[in-house]
Amino acid sequence: MIVTDGLPHKNRYNQPMSHTHTTSPKNPRIYCVGGAVRDALMGLPANDADYVVVGSTPETMLAQGYTPVGKDFPVFLHPVTHEEYALARIERKTAQGYTGFAVHFAPDVTLEEDLARRDLTINAMAREVQANGTLGALIDPYHGQKDLEDKILRHVSPAFAEDPVRILRLARFNARWADFTVAPETMNLMREMVANGETAALVPERVWTEIARGLMEATPSRMFVILRECGLLAQWLPEVDALFGVPQRADYHPEIDTGVHVMMVIDYAAKLKLNLESRYAALCHDLGKGNTPAEILPRHVGHESRGVPLAKTLSERLKVPRACADYARLLAHEHTNFYKLPELRPSTVLNIIKRCDGLRRPERFRDLLHASLADSRGRGGDFPNRPALWYDAWLMLLDTLLGLDNGEIALAHEHEPEQIPNAILEAQLHAITPVLKIWQTMVRSTNT
């Protein structure tokens, strides 16, 4: 839905600079720009607003109480609302990468020139802040409203190619809005950016920031599809790119293609509203299938252990947070073990929980189970609707172990402290053995 009237009146806009809203071209004018304008047109709640000031200087901003915060760009905080106000600027490419720019800002830089440096047409719209705090008519020199109506992600100008982060941002928007498409000319431009090495100049931190935000969108697979189509996935996440086209057994994976499966898994993880660590682990859980020997395909014996170093390499390249890397490593190694619960011995169950540090970090262990649930249901056929009996059983076994009072066990052996570890181990096995056996019997009777 495209909303054609202005943004709702908000008092926060009514914080004018002195003489800002006169019609004289010699006086500054303030415009609300970017995402707030776009989201309002889409009927979405507008979050943080961005403002551009045309016709002003840093000295004028400072004199009126604004606080400078921009290290590389002329950005200021409003003295009352503390929202960001940037002087209109133009940029000139000087080197590869997202930092290779020379910035020019001056009172004669126009709004249209400032909007022209933005990434997408839907982000290159503005409304002038009026003297009473309301917003004026839509200013849309690059036809962003039409692209919103047509649900197209299109670059504003060839300057898009000067900042490789824009590829990641576009892919993230594609994950946010499942009914949008990328303009063919924009996809061609992104392919050229990858081919000419522009994206190789990205720094890991910026790549990870956008990947993480994309993973938290409603349909994260759509981000990776775009990155794969333009070639950036193979460049920055080759372990994930290698999964596409790798076959799996149809009886376990009706979707066949491993890359397709992983995309289904991260979308199911989003459906379950899992946290970032779990979604990243879901992305990495089957990396070992990317180097399965061709002669044993479509089977993937040992892919769990092969996936651990691949997940480590990917995590190090992207410089992901430690928690994300740990989740990815653990899920890659253990996810199939969770499904094997009907055949596992009590000692094996206990070892798996301890390898995951589940007794000290039960919430993380539960998260790994949630991600494994996404794996089991992120498949074709009727897999999304199949009961996951193993999932509830693991939770029950974990709770059983957490219910033990290790302090009481230790106290009972205070005169034989060397016996305490064995006593705790025996108590743990004694507690989970009947729970596991009863459940396994129930599962066998259900399957016969």
Side-chain angles (χ1 to χ4, degrees):
M1 177 183 69
I2 303 298
V3 180
T4 56
D5 55 357
L7 286 169
H9 175 84
K10 293 187 178 181
N11 289 335
R12 65 176 181 171
Y13 297 129
N14 197 8
Q15 306 290 341
M17 298 166 55
S18 59
H19 307 298
T20 13
H21 305 303
T22 64
T23 56
S24 169
K26 296 181 180 180
N27 292 307
R29 305 171 79 117
I30 298 178
Y31 299 88
C32 181
V33 298
V37 176
R38 176 201 68 218
D39 290 346
L41 288 172
M42 297 177 71
L44 300 174
N47 296 317
D48 295 336
D50 294 320
Y51 299 94
V52 165
V53 183
V54 176
S56 189
T57 65
E59 294 75 19
T60 300
M61 302 291 284
L62 292 172
Q64 296 184 345
Y66 286 75
T67 303
V69 293
K71 178 181 177 182
D72 302 312
F73 307 121
V75 180
F76 302 82
L77 295 183
H78 192 284
V80 177
T81 67
H82 303 293
E83 291 178 308
E84 289 190 355
Y85 287 67
L87 295 183
R89 66 183 188 266
I90 56 178
E91 298 167 346
R92 179 172 57 84
K93 189 69 172 172
T94 58
Q96 279 194 330
Y98 71 96
T99 60
F101 292 95
V103 179
H104 170 71
F105 54 93
D108 61 348
V109 176
T110 67
L111 175 66
E112 288 74 14
E113 287 174 323
D114 182 272
L115 294 176
R117 68 176 175 78
R118 297 175 184 271
D119 52 0
L120 303 174
T121 60
I122 63 172
N123 295 329
M125 297 180 286
R127 293 185 189 274
E128 186 172 3
V129 181
Q130 306 296 310
N132 63 0
T134 61
L135 297 179
L138 183 69
I139 301 170
D140 184 16
Y142 304 106
H143 313 295
Q145 186 174 21
K146 180 65 165 59
D147 281 340
L148 271 183
E149 293 171 349
D150 295 338
K151 301 184 184 303
I152 293 175
L153 300 173
R154 190 193 315 274
H155 64 287
V156 175
S157 73
F160 180 96
E162 297 175 352
D163 184 358
V165 174
R166 289 171 172 173
I167 295 179
L168 292 156
R169 278 173 46 84
L170 181 149
R172 175 164 56 81
F173 285 132
N174 199 60
R176 180 180 301 176
W177 301 312
D179 51 354
F180 274 62
T181 59
V182 178
E185 63 271 25
T186 300
M187 177 56 70
N188 289 337
L189 180 59
M190 293 194 298
R191 290 188 182 120
E192 292 174 9
M193 293 168 66
V194 175
N196 67 22
E198 186 69 30
T199 52
L202 286 164
V203 297
E205 292 83 358
R206 290 302 302 270
V207 176
W208 168 248
T209 295
E210 295 300 329
I211 292 293
R213 295 177 71 181
L215 281 170
M216 297 308 293
E217 296 289 1
T219 317
S221 67
R222 287 173 52 85
M223 177 179 203
F224 295 96
V225 167
I226 293 300
L227 296 182
R228 180 169 181 255
E229 190 172 346
C230 73
L232 193 145
L233 190 67
Q235 185 179 72
W236 274 95
L237 292 88
E239 297 84 358
V240 177
D241 187 69
L243 300 177
F244 289 90
V246 176
Q248 303 168 106
R249 287 177 53 178
D251 49 343
Y252 291 122
H253 291 277
E255 71 283 357
I256 305 295
D257 190 298
T258 304
V260 172
H261 164 59
V262 170
M263 295 299 99
M264 296 174 75
V265 172
I266 60 175
D267 283 348
Y268 206 95
K271 181 179 179 180
L272 294 175
K273 301 189 183 304
L274 302 189
N275 58 25
L276 174 61
E277 294 85 355
S278 301
R279 297 191 196 196
Y280 178 67
L283 177 70
C284 298
H285 81 282
D286 265 351
L287 294 183
K289 292 181 178 179
N291 62 11
T292 296
E295 60 270 18
I296 70 169
L297 292 173
R299 298 169 65 244
H300 291 277
V301 178
H303 77 276
E304 302 88 353
S305 58
R306 292 197 309 274
V308 171
L310 293 172
K312 182 175 184 289
T313 298
L314 177 60
S315 296
E316 290 176 347
R317 183 186 308 113
L318 296 180
K319 296 186 177 181
V320 308
R322 172 97 178 258
C324 289
D326 287 345
Y327 272 58
R329 170 180 56 83
L330 290 169
L331 191 67
H333 191 267
E334 304 292 355
H335 67 281
T336 56
N337 285 331
F338 294 142
Y339 313 141
K340 297 175 182 177
L341 188 59
E343 293 83 38
L344 298 183
R345 298 190 303 270
S347 59
T348 305
V349 168
L350 184 59
N351 286 336
I352 290 171
I353 292 175
K354 288 184 175 181
R355 282 202 302 266
C356 296
D357 205 10
L359 300 181
R360 290 198 312 158
R361 300 181 180 181
E363 283 308 311
R364 185 175 72 174
F365 189 78
R366 294 185 184 102
D367 286 344
L368 294 172
L369 293 176
H370 300 335
S372 295
L373 182 64
D375 171 37
S376 69
R377 290 183 171 168
R379 310 183 186 201
D382 67 343
F383 276 86
N385 301 315
R386 292 189 182 183
L389 301 178
W390 57 268
Y391 172 80
D392 293 323
W394 277 104
L395 291 174
M396 180 171 55
L397 290 163
L398 177 64
D399 288 342
T400 299
L401 290 169
L402 293 175
L404 293 176
D405 189 341
N406 291 339
E408 182 178 332
I409 298 171
L411 186 62
H413 295 78
E414 61 179 333
H415 299 301
E416 301 174 296
E418 71 280 1
Q419 297 297 322
I420 292 175
N422 283 336
I424 291 176
L425 176 61
E426 289 178 6
Q428 291 170 335
L429 291 173
H430 180 74
I432 65 172
T433 296
V435 176
L436 178 63
K437 295 301 183 184
I438 291 171
W439 180 82
Q440 288 175 334
T441 301
M442 181 271 294
V443 170
R444 282 194 290 270
S445 64
T446 301
N447 293 336
T448 56

